[in-house]
Amino acid sequence: MPADDVTVRRPTLTQVAALAGVSLKTASRALNQEPNVAPSTGRRVRDAADLLGYRLNGIARELRRGATSALVGLVSGDLTNPFYSAVASGIERELRQHGLLLITANNDEDAMLERSLVDAFLERRVRALLVIPSADDHEYLAVEGNHGVPFVFLDRPPDGLAADAVLIDNVGGARSAGEHLLAAGHRRVALVADLVRMAPQRGRIDGFVGAMRAAGNDGWEPYIRTDVHDVRHAERTVRELLALDPAPTAIFTTNNRLTTGALRAMRGLAEPPALVGFDDFDLADVLGTTVVAHDMTALGREAARLAYERISGHSGPARTIVISTSIIARGSGERPPR
């Protein structure tokens, strides 16, 4: 038979019982470590399972008993983005201490996909659900049918739902970036921002604009660009900004991918504009890139902590934790106007 026609099937409990020479019920009791199974019988069943490569379906076993699983779901953005992977790492490490496992799914910044993923996790009776939302309305989660599963929102607050949330100080961080560039003498400061429908981006825009207006500076107004969503779009946008006459002397990018695009656009320039980016990233120190930094792992860790407290019975009102930011000056944000 051709290799393509071979179907590899998982070994079954029936095969384990047959190889061990016991009944199906005895094999099940032995593998589930239930009482009243002779030690020699238990060893024989486990040896047969190891030989066949059989593994218990732990989730199915728990669900049959009427319990929830040991799984916690995370609906996230693209995990290839270091921001989301760092957040997931913080969640996973915290949950592991409590015997819980993290499973993740990518919502692709699609509100309909997010809702279907939430439904899929709830159907699997996850213990808690962590959401980095793309949808604008989460009121549907408040209806009965979530079976008491606690929700924690990360990075972006819930809309239409009272739930725990862990957020970044987006307004304060962006304000400090604007003030940093103003202090270096810049007035023609470009703002390159991601999707304005996302609450963190609106906060970063507001913080930046607030810094400019508090300083009485309107030189930034011709240079605002929004809904720039990926590295290539950011690179193209920054090239277009630098081709203007007069060009901006400084640029503020509102997330790590937009900063990467800006760096690509500025590569090889004899006198590049000053640059401050929101979010730290790998090699930013090597590249001398000034950033608004925050602890991404702590964002995930705090969300997991809140979720575990809810699992353990905490029933108080919704809580919000804000992760602070700080400027890390590495050279790019300190260049004077040319």
Side-chain angles (χ1 to χ4, degrees):
M1 180 182 294
D4 291 346
D5 294 334
V6 175
T7 300
V8 179
R9 294 183 174 86
R10 292 181 180 273
T12 65
L13 184 59
T14 300
Q15 292 172 318
V16 173
L19 183 59
V22 299
S23 69
L24 186 62
K25 183 177 181 180
T26 298
S28 175
R29 291 173 61 193
L31 291 177
N32 283 291
Q33 300 182 6
E34 295 180 12
N36 302 320
V37 177
S40 59
T41 301
R43 283 194 299 272
R44 194 163 72 249
V45 172
R46 289 192 294 274
D47 288 345
D50 288 342
L51 184 63
L52 293 172
Y54 176 81
R55 293 292 180 269
L56 286 171
N57 187 333
I59 297 175
R61 182 177 70 250
E62 292 299 320
L63 294 182
R64 282 196 299 270
R65 292 174 178 173
T68 52
S69 74
L71 301 179
V72 171
L74 169 63
V75 179
S76 171
D78 186 357
L79 288 174
T80 62
N81 185 328
F83 171 80
Y84 295 119
S85 57
V87 170
S89 175
I91 295 170
E92 194 276 332
R93 292 180 183 182
E94 180 69 20
L95 293 178
R96 190 193 309 159
Q97 299 180 53
H98 306 294
L100 298 169
L101 297 174
L102 179 68
I103 52 174
T104 64
N106 181 4
N107 62 23
D108 288 329
E109 303 292 359
D110 183 318
M112 293 301 294
L113 177 58
E114 176 188 308
R115 183 160 184 168
S116 67
L117 291 172
V118 167
D119 288 343
F121 278 139
L122 292 178
E123 288 173 5
R124 286 156 179 79
R125 299 189 190 181
V126 292
R127 298 292 298 278
L129 192 55
L130 305 164
V131 183
I132 302 177
S134 60
D136 295 326
D137 183 5
H138 298 93
E139 190 174 359
Y140 73 94
L141 294 175
V143 302
E144 291 189 23
N146 59 24
H147 306 292
V149 175
F151 292 87
V152 180
F153 286 75
L154 299 89
D155 188 43
R156 307 161 192 174
D159 191 352
L161 176 71
D164 293 335
V166 184
L167 312 174
I168 298 167
D169 183 10
N170 295 299
V171 174
R175 183 189 304 115
S176 67
E179 291 170 348
H180 192 78
L181 292 168
L182 288 166
H186 295 280
R187 292 298 178 266
R188 299 198 307 273
V189 184
L191 170 68
V192 181
D194 205 329
L195 303 176
V196 294
R197 66 181 177 84
M198 297 299 184
Q201 293 299 307
R202 294 195 299 272
R204 294 172 194 183
I205 293 169
D206 290 347
F208 171 84
V209 172
M212 296 295 121
R213 289 179 175 167
N217 176 45
D218 60 4
W220 60 275
E221 293 179 353
Y223 306 111
I224 183 170
R225 301 292 185 272
T226 61
D227 293 322
V228 182
H229 189 50
D230 56 39
V231 173
R232 288 186 178 182
H233 193 181
E235 180 179 2
R236 184 170 66 251
T237 299
V238 171
R239 289 187 188 280
E240 292 169 355
L241 284 167
L242 296 180
L244 296 175
D245 185 14
T249 64
I251 299 172
F252 171 52
T253 49
T254 60
N255 65 32
N256 56 358
R257 289 194 164 179
L258 304 189
T259 306
T260 299
L263 288 168
R264 289 183 177 179
M266 293 160 51
R267 181 174 49 196
L269 294 181
E271 296 184 348
L275 174 66
V276 176
F278 207 110
D279 301 330
D280 204 359
F281 60 96
D282 286 344
L283 299 181
D285 55 339
V286 176
L287 297 171
T289 307
T290 297
V291 298
V292 177
H294 50 86
D295 192 336
M296 295 174 279
T297 303
L299 184 73
R301 187 173 62 246
E302 288 297 313
R305 182 180 63 80
L306 293 179
Y308 181 71
E309 289 177 359
R310 292 290 183 185
I311 291 171
S312 301
H314 180 77
S315 59
R319 300 161 292 177
T320 297
I321 294 175
V322 178
I323 303 296
S324 63
T325 64
S326 61
I327 291 277
I328 301 179
R330 296 186 174 124
S332 69
E334 294 68 54
R335 298 175 188 136
R338 300 291 183 179

